[in-house]
Amino acid sequence: ETGVTQTPRHLVMGMTNKKSLKCEQHLGHNAMYWYKQSAKKPLELMFVYNFKEQTENNSVPSRFSPECPNSSHLFLHLHTLQPEDSALYLCASSQDPPATPGLRPNIQYFGAGTRLSVL
Amino acid sequence: AQKITQTQPGMFVQEKEAVTLDCTYDTSDQSYGLFWYKQPSSGEMIFLIYQGSYDEQNATEGRYSLNFQKARKSANLVISASQLGDSAMYFCAMRATRGGNTGKLIFGQGTTLQVKP
């Protein structure tokens, strides 16, 4: 148990559906991340939020819409996805910068992911 | 450009033996961090070990140690006394510092480790 919970664990959706992925962290961190993991590709950073503000959008298509209502919750709203969007979507959180100077910085703790299939 | 390279798509190791997973990196930054994560078939990414670029000693965490060779830009993970539960995908990652403190991690392609009984 890493302290980062993602729901649902599995999701099958059609290209015209709208669905949302949820991530919740119980670690008191201030930064949250969405990553995409496709088969045979490295993890790709999608979005970064720090204190609820989006600090990075890694050229993600607008059919992916993130929402961060507070430092503990992160959503990824999905609409009109394509089959190539099928992947494992991982959420992570970290304390950025570290709460105590000198401590190893920015360990990102990940959830178990949502395995998404777009039909 | 910052990049992580893991050249071993798959590795086998006999139970109780040690194994080294390779990782090389490319960065022009002087200050950076290197991480190793384990991903079992269940999907979650589990943090294993961290090495800072200014750390003088190689990092160790239990059975995991990081063989950090700064001049060669390599950060290999050594797992001692392999266990069946070590079978998983292993990712090397680097924290990018370019462009500010976004906490962005750059990952390698990963190495699949299978431990044989």
Side-chain angles (χ1 to χ4, degrees):
Chain A
E1 181 61 47
T2 63
V4 181
T5 304
Q6 288 187 245
T7 54
R9 291 295 312 276
H10 301 273
L11 180 62
V12 179
M13 59 187 288
M15 289 192 283
T16 57
N17 292 157
K18 289 185 181 181
K19 297 285 184 184
S20 296
L21 311 185
K22 180 183 175 182
C23 176
E24 184 174 1
Q25 58 97 358
H26 308 277
L27 300 169
H29 291 161
N30 62 301
M32 297 187 76
Y33 312 79
W34 278 118
Y35 286 87
K36 176 183 178 182
Q37 186 178 21
S38 305
K40 300 182 180 178
K41 278 187 169 184
L43 270 76
E44 302 170 68
L45 180 67
M46 299 174 73
F47 302 103
V48 181
Y49 279 81
N50 201 315
F51 289 110
K52 303 187 299 177
E53 298 298 320
Q54 188 180 119
T55 56
E56 182 142 354
N57 177 337
N58 205 23
S59 302
V60 180
S62 59
R63 58 185 183 269
F64 295 91
S65 174
E67 179 190 0
C68 188
N70 54 60
S71 293
S72 299
H73 293 86
L74 184 65
F75 295 90
L76 189 62
H77 304 299
L78 316 171
H79 64 98
T80 58
L81 294 191
Q82 305 298 311
E84 60 264 29
D85 296 323
S86 298
L88 180 67
Y89 289 85
L90 290 160
C91 172
S93 74
S94 70
Q95 186 64 31
D96 193 5
T100 304
L103 273 189
R104 58 191 183 188
N106 200 31
I107 307 296
Q108 290 185 22
Y109 293 91
F110 285 78
T114 295
R115 195 164 293 280
L116 174 67
S117 296
V118 181
L119 304 179
Chain B
Q2 295 176 310
K3 188 179 178 182
I4 292 282
T5 303
Q6 294 179 254
T7 57
Q8 307 153 313
M11 292 277 288
F12 289 93
V13 65
Q14 204 67 37
E15 193 179 8
K16 299 181 184 176
E17 293 187 349
V19 63
T20 298
L21 306 183
D22 294 342
C23 173
T24 58
Y25 60 92
D26 189 18
T27 181
S28 56
D29 289 340
Q30 296 302 308
S31 176
Y32 50 88
L34 296 158
F35 304 77
W36 276 92
Y37 284 87
K38 171 185 178 182
Q39 187 178 41
S41 56
S42 52
E44 74 270 31
M45 296 281 282
I46 302 167
F47 166 73
L48 295 178
I49 195 166
Y50 167 81
Q51 180 85 42
S53 58
Y54 291 119
D55 293 343
E56 294 185 353
Q57 294 194 338
N58 287 343
T60 60
E61 293 279 358
R63 294 187 298 111
Y64 304 108
S65 60
L66 202 152
N67 183 359
F68 181 47
Q69 297 189 39
K70 195 169 181 177
R72 299 176 66 178
K73 293 190 174 179
S74 74
N76 299 339
L77 176 70
V78 180
I79 305 174
S80 62
S82 298
Q83 301 172 357
L84 296 178
D86 294 334
S87 295
M89 191 96 166
Y90 288 81
F91 290 93
C92 180
M94 177 170 62
R95 178 168 186 247
T97 56
R98 179 172 50 89
N101 195 23
T102 64
K104 181 176 179 176
L105 284 181
I106 298 168
F107 284 83
Q109 293 269 17
T111 296
T112 300
L113 176 67
Q114 292 192 36
V115 180
K116 295 180 176 180

